[in-house]
Amino acid sequence: MKWQKFNDLSDQLRVYNNQALNYYRENIQEKGEAVDFETVVKPFADEVKNTADQWLPLAKEWVLEEKPPYFYLKQLEDTHENLLISSVLAFQLDTKEKRFREMIQSIDYILSGIKNSLAEQ
């Protein structure tokens, strides 16, 4: 499959997206505790950024070559940015729950749609 790496990176980003939601639930909602930036937040955010930075050029190439319905470059750029933001917001005590959940849902919607679109090809 031509888009295997793109598919794999999309899957990994979905895992990170779910991990961010779980971190938020466990540390912020349930415990109300901040976590150590250097040992927890930075490594997670760096992993997400590394994967997202590999994913974005492939995502753009996919949209330009395959022209999938309902996917646009701006959407993918926004998803990339939201992934980077959510990977840090998941650990902040002052994160607004509604906004954070909507961001997580938006990311998941795009990544799930990509997965489904790739499966149809």
Side-chain angles (χ1 to χ4, degrees):
M1 172 184 200
K2 178 179 181 181
W3 301 107
Q4 187 61 48
K5 181 168 178 154
F6 175 53
N7 189 40
D8 294 345
L9 290 170
S10 297
D11 287 343
Q12 184 60 50
L13 289 173
R14 285 187 74 195
V15 168
Y16 289 146
N17 195 44
N18 288 327
Q19 284 179 340
L21 180 58
N22 290 334
Y23 283 139
Y24 178 77
R25 284 182 184 148
E26 292 170 10
N27 295 305
I28 306 303
Q29 285 187 317
E30 293 174 10
K31 297 178 187 172
E33 296 176 357
V35 295
D36 184 64
F37 180 80
E38 290 297 322
T39 59
V40 179
V41 181
K42 187 170 181 350
F44 180 72
D46 288 347
E47 280 183 48
V48 172
K49 182 177 182 348
N50 181 37
T51 304
D53 287 351
Q54 292 177 52
W55 174 84
L56 185 59
L58 295 173
K60 288 180 176 181
E61 182 182 345
W62 176 67
V63 165
L64 293 173
E65 283 187 27
E66 301 294 332
K67 298 179 180 24
Y70 315 115
F71 290 100
Y72 306 97
L73 290 178
K74 178 71 173 130
Q75 239 178 349
L76 301 174
E77 291 165 356
D78 289 347
T79 299
H80 177 267
E81 184 177 343
N82 286 341
L83 281 158
L84 302 183
I85 292 168
S86 68
S87 69
V88 175
L89 284 181
F91 300 97
Q92 294 182 343
L93 291 173
D94 62 347
T95 298
K96 303 290 183 217
E97 180 181 359
K98 184 176 188 290
R99 181 171 181 261
F100 180 73
R101 286 187 181 276
E102 287 172 353
M103 185 179 293
I104 293 291
Q105 288 173 345
S106 172
I107 293 166
D108 192 60
Y109 180 79
I110 296 299
L111 294 175
S112 296
I114 288 170
K115 180 87 173 159
N116 293 338
S117 187
L118 286 170
E120 291 172 4
Q121 290 180 349

